[in-house]
Amino acid sequence: MKNEAIKIFQKKKKAVLENWMKFQLADEGLREDLMSNEDLRSQSEELLDAFIDNLSDENIDDPANSAFEAIVDILSGISISRAKQGFSPRETGIFVFSLKDALLNVLQQEIKDPQELYVQSLKIIKIIDSFGISTFETFIKGREEVILRQTDEISEISTPVIRVWDGILALPIIGTLDSARTQIVMENLLQEIVESGSSIAILDISGVPAVDSLVAQHLIKTVSATRLMGAECIISGIRPEIAQTVVHLGIDLSQVVTKASLASALKTAFGLLQLQVVKKQKQQQITE
Amino acid sequence: MEKIPILRMGNLLLVTIQVDLYDRLAETLESDLVQMIKKTGARGVLIDISAVSIIDSFMGRIIGNIATMSKILDAETVVVGMQPAVAITLVELGLPLNGVLTALNVEKGMELLKKKIAEEEPEEEEDHGDTE
Amino acid sequence: MVTLNRESMSIMREIDVIPFRNRLKEYAVKIGMSLVNQTKIITAASELARNMLKYANGGKVTIEVVSKGRENGIRMVFKDEGPGIPDIDKAMKDGFSTGKSLGLGLPGTKRLVSEFAITSEVGKGTTVIVTKWKNG
């Protein structure tokens, strides 16, 4: 014998869908700006079809049944795309939970025996609740993916290595230097040193808001790694406040070559490479 | 037993490490090099580690030892071609090899060695410590 | 944390360290670890293997490929039946060594990996468990 509720749903599929749409459209927070009503309808219909088709006597008591995987997959797809479109968790939640209301509503109309109605309703509630949990899990995963992608993008664009001269690299650091960032800075810098054969690297920290002992440690690490490779590292862009905090915190930067500005660091670099910048003379001969 | 060859070029010794080091091999290299410096009166040692993918604290210490020992025997040591990943790992490990001269590649290492040796030749008083 | 793959090797002589390092590298490459992180975990493994040889005449190491959430990683268990470490806190300090080394072994190794745990019982042996996440 087929379960009462399943029979009802199969027979009343249309009514359930209408009900569900009614609940969804009645919600004040409906995002017509993000998704048209037609799209919402086809999305709902697809999910409902999959749900009713997969519902059977064996799995109606078991929300974790593998037969529901197909539905969870569809839900995950919907949930992730909604997260990326900018739906709020509440809006996505309403999408799933209003299905429960619609299903229960139909059951209520069809089943007259209160005992039976209670038993069947409970089963449906359990299944939809488990769908709700999966929806949230994937919704958050969708958001996390967005965050991860942005983090990657930020760290990528925030550590450009510039070849300022033959044999001289510059790396302007903008923003706070944490240990993850230091890793990226070091990797990019050292890789570029190898590729360009540069023997001097200038680390400009004008864009670093504050230097505490941890940041200083990261800077010293970068300088040490550069030296191990056989290149010299100059730190430039040290603002007066930074010089003050460095001394007050008792940070030892004596092993590091520091310069106030990128210009003076470049000058030092030219000196190390035995280069000279000379003003061009009108006449052919150059006077000293 | 496996050994790392030491080549002689004028007053310089050239070591290219082509295999991954293990402890005994590194120790043998240390003693071989020191013997060789004494025997040849070499003024400089160039160690190319561009093919070495792992340097741990033991091997790092051997490299430091070689530099210090050759200094006592009046020879400069330059380590060249360290890979970026190795450099980052050594720094993280807490072994920045202070006091060991380094260069990007063999060519730059040779230049550095020749400069260092030339600095010492004419007059001993002048002390250029700028690249250390 | 889920274990996807497990392999044990014993390290009784110095020469055993080389195949162990190679095997570890294969695993690190297989899970797509960056070159820097590969170098870090192999260096850490090298330190711990040397400790086992030096203080306990060798021991056993298990390499596991593990997964937690979306992250994959490599976990290694170094187990020896050596004399044990009487004062772990002291052994974990930079610059402390009972041997003639620089005393960077344990604290340095800890800095190279994502997770580090050590248990030791005097007279029974020492177990060190380290994990390095692919992007950690």
Side-chain angles (χ1 to χ4, degrees):
Chain A
M1 190 207 104
K2 249 195 166 163
N3 184 295
E4 187 77 16
I6 300 174
K7 272 192 279 185
I8 294 170
F9 291 146
Q10 277 166 352
K11 206 169 64 194
K12 293 275 174 183
K13 200 185 220 172
K14 207 143 180 105
V16 175
L17 181 63
E18 287 315 316
N19 247 324
W20 189 15
M21 287 310 293
K22 200 177 79 201
F23 284 125
Q24 289 192 67
L25 297 175
D27 183 55
E28 282 182 3
L30 184 73
R31 299 297 294 267
E32 283 175 72
D33 54 331
L34 293 178
M35 188 186 270
S36 73
N37 289 347
E38 289 77 51
D39 285 346
L40 185 64
R41 194 183 186 87
S42 65
Q43 204 175 60
S44 307
E45 201 171 355
E46 184 198 2
L47 186 69
L48 187 64
D49 280 348
F51 174 61
I52 295 180
D53 291 351
N54 277 298
L55 206 58
S56 68
D57 286 352
E58 294 88 56
N59 62 29
I60 195 163
D61 297 314
D62 176 19
N65 195 288
S66 57
F68 291 126
E69 271 171 21
I71 302 155
V72 171
D73 280 349
I74 297 175
L75 260 180
S76 305
I78 294 173
S79 186
I80 284 188
S81 73
R82 283 181 167 229
K84 286 178 182 157
Q85 280 167 343
F87 278 93
S88 75
R90 187 194 178 84
E91 286 148 11
T92 306
I94 282 174
F95 172 71
V96 178
F97 291 120
S98 57
L99 172 62
K100 183 160 74 184
D101 294 341
L103 290 167
L104 294 182
N105 205 309
V106 171
L107 277 186
Q108 203 178 12
Q109 285 166 11
E110 296 292 319
I111 302 177
K112 297 296 170 228
D113 176 24
Q115 175 78 25
E116 178 70 8
L117 179 62
Y118 175 74
V119 171
Q120 296 296 352
S121 303
L122 206 62
K123 289 176 182 171
I124 297 303
I125 290 171
K126 273 196 177 148
I127 294 175
I128 302 289
D129 283 352
S130 111
F131 287 169
I133 293 169
S134 331
T135 311
F136 278 112
E137 276 174 354
T138 39
F139 185 87
I140 289 173
K141 219 181 257 175
R143 278 291 168 93
E144 271 174 357
E145 270 167 25
V146 173
I147 295 170
L148 277 177
R149 209 189 52 233
Q150 287 172 342
T151 316
D152 282 352
E153 270 169 26
I154 291 171
S155 50
E156 203 130 293
I157 54 172
S158 62
T159 50
V161 183
I162 306 158
R163 295 189 195 186
V164 276
W165 204 268
D166 192 25
I168 305 174
L169 295 177
L171 202 155
I173 301 172
I174 292 154
T176 310
L177 203 57
D178 58 16
S179 61
R181 189 95 188 280
T182 311
Q183 286 300 319
I184 298 167
V185 167
M186 271 204 231
E187 280 187 52
N188 287 352
L189 182 64
L190 301 194
Q191 201 52 52
E192 195 63 29
I193 286 176
V194 173
E195 272 165 28
S196 65
S198 303
S199 49
I200 295 169
I202 303 171
L203 223 55
D204 188 82
I205 59 164
S206 327
V208 178
V211 175
D212 55 15
S213 43
L214 208 61
V215 173
Q217 215 181 12
H218 290 142
L219 286 173
I220 292 171
K221 270 187 189 170
T222 311
V223 173
S224 301
T226 316
R227 284 196 186 144
L228 278 175
M229 303 273 307
E232 186 51 62
C233 190
I234 304 170
I235 296 183
S236 74
I238 303 197
R239 283 173 278 124
E241 310 91 80
I242 289 185
Q244 275 178 307
T245 35
V246 162
V247 173
H248 285 159
L249 289 172
I251 300 164
D252 181 21
L253 285 183
S254 60
Q255 300 283 312
V256 182
V257 183
T258 51
K259 295 286 165 217
S261 69
L262 185 64
S264 64
L266 197 57
K267 212 166 150 188
T268 312
F270 282 151
L272 287 172
L273 291 179
Q274 289 158 330
L275 292 173
Q276 206 174 5
V277 182
V278 182
K279 199 168 196 169
K280 207 169 163 186
Q281 303 282 325
K282 275 269 158 66
Q283 298 90 333
Q284 281 295 78
Q285 55 172 169
I286 295 163
T287 49
E288 291 214 273
Chain B
M1 201 187 119
E2 212 177 350
K3 246 180 192 255
I4 294 168
I6 302 169
L7 305 178
R8 185 180 166 183
M9 274 181 74
N11 58 354
L12 303 180
L13 296 179
L14 193 65
V15 182
T16 307
I17 304 176
Q18 294 283 7
V19 292
D20 263 334
L21 283 173
Y22 52 92
D23 297 5
R24 184 110 9 103
L25 194 60
E27 277 172 330
T28 314
L29 176 67
E30 180 190 290
S31 59
D32 283 358
L33 248 178
V34 178
Q35 292 294 332
M36 197 75 165
I37 294 169
K38 176 75 181 31
K39 210 167 80 189
T40 60
R43 299 296 318 279
V45 179
L46 188 130
I47 306 175
D48 178 14
I49 56 164
S50 54
V52 178
S53 57
I54 299 294
I55 296 181
D56 66 9
S57 66
F58 185 84
M59 303 167 216
R61 186 161 62 108
I62 296 276
I63 292 175
N65 284 354
I66 291 175
T68 318
M69 290 170 187
S70 36
K71 190 94 191 165
I72 298 172
L73 293 167
D74 196 26
E76 290 287 348
T77 305
V78 175
V79 174
V80 305
M82 189 183 289
Q83 303 214 357
V86 173
I88 293 173
T89 304
L90 275 181
V91 168
E92 213 64 62
L93 194 61
L95 202 70
L97 294 181
N98 289 329
V100 178
L101 293 175
T102 51
L104 277 179
N105 49 39
V106 176
E107 198 187 334
K108 292 204 159 114
M110 283 287 187
E111 269 171 41
L112 182 62
L113 266 184
K114 282 180 184 148
K115 205 178 104 198
K116 281 273 162 194
I117 295 167
E119 269 169 19
E120 280 176 24
E121 284 294 298
E123 40 197 29
E124 295 286 323
E125 301 102 273
E126 256 190 15
D127 194 6
H128 296 274
D130 49 357
T131 42
E132 280 184 45
Chain C
M1 196 156 36
V2 192
T3 303
L4 305 174
N5 203 335
R6 190 196 305 258
E7 182 176 340
S8 286
M9 294 173 98
S10 62
I11 296 189
M12 303 313 292
R13 291 165 306 151
E14 201 190 289
I15 207 80
D16 295 337
V17 178
I18 304 247
F20 161 58
R21 282 203 314 221
N22 293 340
R23 201 82 191 98
L24 179 58
K25 175 147 183 126
E26 280 168 34
Y27 280 115
V29 170
K30 200 151 75 185
I31 66 163
M33 212 179 242
S34 74
L35 183 63
V36 173
N37 279 350
Q38 281 177 33
T39 310
K40 282 185 181 173
I41 190 178
I42 299 170
T43 309
S46 190
E47 297 287 335
L48 292 172
R50 173 171 310 100
N51 275 355
M52 262 190 345
L53 284 170
K54 197 159 135 194
Y55 297 105
N57 291 318
K60 224 175 107 176
V61 57
T62 311
I63 313 173
E64 290 169 50
V65 176
V66 292
S67 150
K68 188 169 80 179
R70 57 177 64 226
E71 268 277 58
N72 284 338
I74 290 177
R75 196 167 95 114
M76 291 182 290
V77 182
F78 291 81
K79 202 169 165 56
D80 69 49
E81 286 165 5
I85 303 169
D87 189 345
I88 290 181
D89 288 343
K90 211 164 155 191
M92 289 306 296
K93 276 208 186 90
D94 262 331
F96 175 80
S97 170
T98 52
K100 278 188 290 178
S101 67
L102 293 166
L104 289 167
L106 287 177
T109 305
K110 191 178 176 183
R111 284 193 291 266
L112 294 178
V113 295
S114 320
E115 284 160 34
F116 183 99
I118 180 167
T119 48
S120 185
E121 205 177 321
V122 176
K124 288 266 176 66
T126 306
T127 303
V128 182
I129 303 173
V130 295
T131 310
K132 180 89 188 162
W133 298 111
K134 188 179 143 193
N135 302 308

